[in-house]
Amino acid sequence: MSTALGPDGAATATHPPVDAAAAGSARPDPRRRPRRSKHRPVWEERPTALGTGAKVIVLALIVLAVVYPLYTVIITSLSTTAAVTQAGGLVTVPTEVTTAAYRQILAGGIVTRATLVSIGITAVGTLLSTTVSILCAYGLSRPTSFGHRPILFVLLITMFFGAGMIPTYLLVSNLGLIDTYWSLILPGAVSAFNVLLLRNFFMGIDPGITDAARIDGAGEWRVLGQIVLPMSKAVTAVVALFYGVGYWNAFFNAMLYINDNAKWPLQLVLRSYVLQGVTLPGSGVGQVDVATGAVTGLPVKMAVMVLAIIPVLVVYPFVQRHFTKGVIFGAIKG
């Protein structure tokens, strides 16, 4: 920059001519990838094409590993005995699709009754367990609640130590719960992990919100029902999912406490038939002559497995969007 005199004698500043090519080269190229900042973490950088391709391949393999067994089970359950014999086991390429296996197991009565038993136990058990866990967690989340520290300590102990199978059986027997559906619900009605998950989520709610409600005259029941629970839909849905899946998949308690076959849940019927090969009277899953057109063996086993899987597959997509938020936010505080 230089100084020159104008026509009126005033000093003015003049700039040297700018080279257009040099100015163009000084501009950043939008196609050029910016350099990684020394203070920026690696996971915040824009992924490369190689990294994106590797992620796609890994995710595709994971999805294939999850979907392929389910696909094989469904296709085998829709196949005939001849197709299973020809494939030498599980069918991957369907040749003849039939629903005879499903009609056969549902016509006997045992599987249908066991499905209704499992649905009832899951519905009642999930409602009871979720309600009790919410009430317990809310009480433990209030610092002024009576005896919340000793109760919390006892609750933590149950996560690491248990009474054992024989004392638990004696307790259930002395309570008169043998051969009743309550024996499948009450022994595992409350999970310490789920209570702690709810408690930590409740403690993360701003105390100013609940204090403002108490100033306006709201009691604890109203605070819990109208303020805390509406703000805790995510963690409540996750806990209900945990309880529901647990009740639906449980079969060990039924082995211990249920002696009447008519009260068996679906999972115990599935275990008895698929793993042990036991054919229950009137179940419709016995060996039938192939000439009659009925399916036997593996297709029927796979059909029972599909019936046991369907409810979880139907419910999970509606709860999945709450899963990450509920678990992560509920695990922030200790």
Side-chain angles (χ1 to χ4, degrees), residues 131 140 268:
T131 302
L140 294 176
L268 187 54

Side-chain angles (χ1 to χ4, degrees), residues 40 43 46 172 303:
R40 180 182 298 177
W43 56 83
R46 184 181 303 173
V172 174

